Amino acid sequence: MAVREILLYPDPLLKQKCDLVTDFGAPLAELVRDLRETLAASPGVGIAAPQIGVLQRVVLIDVTGKFPERRQLVLVNPRITTLEEYKIIREGCLSIPEFTANVRRADKVVFEALDEHGQPYAHRTDGLEAIAIQHETDHLDGVLFLDRVACLKTDVFRRKTKPSARAQS
Ligand code: NI
C-alpha cells in the first residue's frame, strides 16, 4: 500500500483515454489499495486511476466524510446509464488544485460498474456523490472539468484558500 503522487494538469497522462480492466488479479487489488490510501490522504471525495498515472478504468468514490451513512464505492469499467436534473455546480479537482469552476452536472445518476472483484452492480445516487461519479468517469476518458466549462473567462475561479473536501475529485 502506498500514497501515490497525484498527477497535476497539464500532465499528458491526464488527457488519455483509459483501458477497460480485464484482469481482476493482484495488480488491480493493489491499484485499489493505492487509490484508497491516496484519496484518504487528500482533500477529495473521489479519485480516478489516471490521476496516479495508471491508465485503467478504475474509480474510487468516498463521500463518507460528509455523509457517514454512505459507503465507499469502487467502480471498475463504469458506465453511466441515466443522467437527470442538470444544474450548475462549483467543482474542483485534485489534479487542478488552484482552480474551481462552474460546471453543468446531473444531480441524479444511475451507473453500472464492476466491483474490485469483477462482480457487476448498479447504483443510483444523487448530489455530491453523483457529481463525483460524473467527474471521475470523465477522467477515464481524459476529460477534465476545464473541458466542461461553458466560458473559461467567467466560469473559472482561482482558489483563495487551500483546497477543502468540498466536491473535489
Ligand atoms: Ni479530478
Side-chain angles (χ1 to χ4, degrees):
M1 266 199 274
V3 174
R4 303 271 292 263
E5 184 188 350
I6 294 176
L7 302 184
L8 297 179
Y9 177 82
D11 191 301
L13 288 179
L14 293 170
K15 298 301 293 176
Q16 302 292 311
K17 194 169 166 65
C18 296
D19 296 325
L20 284 169
V21 173
T22 55
D23 184 346
F24 290 82
L28 178 66
E30 187 180 346
L31 171 60
V32 171
R33 281 199 302 272
D34 284 357
L35 288 171
R36 284 202 172 100
E37 289 273 300
T38 306
L39 184 59
S42 312
V45 294
I47 191 168
Q51 290 183 279
I52 59 169
V54 179
L55 297 181
Q56 299 268 310
R57 301 187 80 82
V58 181
V59 158
L60 177 67
I61 304 286
D62 188 346
V63 297
T64 58
K66 212 168 178 186
F67 302 99
E69 74 282 8
R70 298 209 171 170
R71 62 188 176 85
Q72 212 178 52
L73 296 172
V74 175
L75 288 69
V76 177
N77 300 344
R79 193 169 72 88
I80 296 175
T81 56
T82 304
L83 295 156
E84 290 170 346
E85 296 184 27
Y86 278 89
K87 58 186 188 183
I88 304 291
I89 55 97
R90 187 69 74 88
E91 193 163 302
C93 178
L94 295 171
S95 294
I96 312 174
E98 297 196 352
F99 294 92
T100 62
N102 291 332
V103 181
R104 185 171 175 268
R105 296 286 190 193
D107 187 59
K108 295 185 165 57
V109 304
V110 179
F111 71 86
E112 298 172 353
L114 305 174
D115 69 14
E116 59 198 292
H117 310 293
Q119 295 302 309
Y121 71 102
H123 188 68
R124 179 179 188 87
T125 189
D126 59 10
L128 179 61
E129 192 171 66
I131 290 161
I133 285 163
Q134 292 163 79
H135 178 110
E136 300 310 335
T137 306
D138 271 353
H139 271 299
L140 304 181
D141 291 319
V143 174
L144 301 173
F145 75 74
L146 294 177
D147 301 315
R148 297 268 185 204
V149 167
C151 175
L152 287 173
K153 272 191 181 152
T154 59
D155 290 332
V156 178
F157 308 91
R158 186 176 284 278
R159 283 186 196 273
K160 294 189 183 75
T161 54
K162 265 190 79 173
S164 72
R166 191 170 156 273
Q168 271 220 99
S169 28

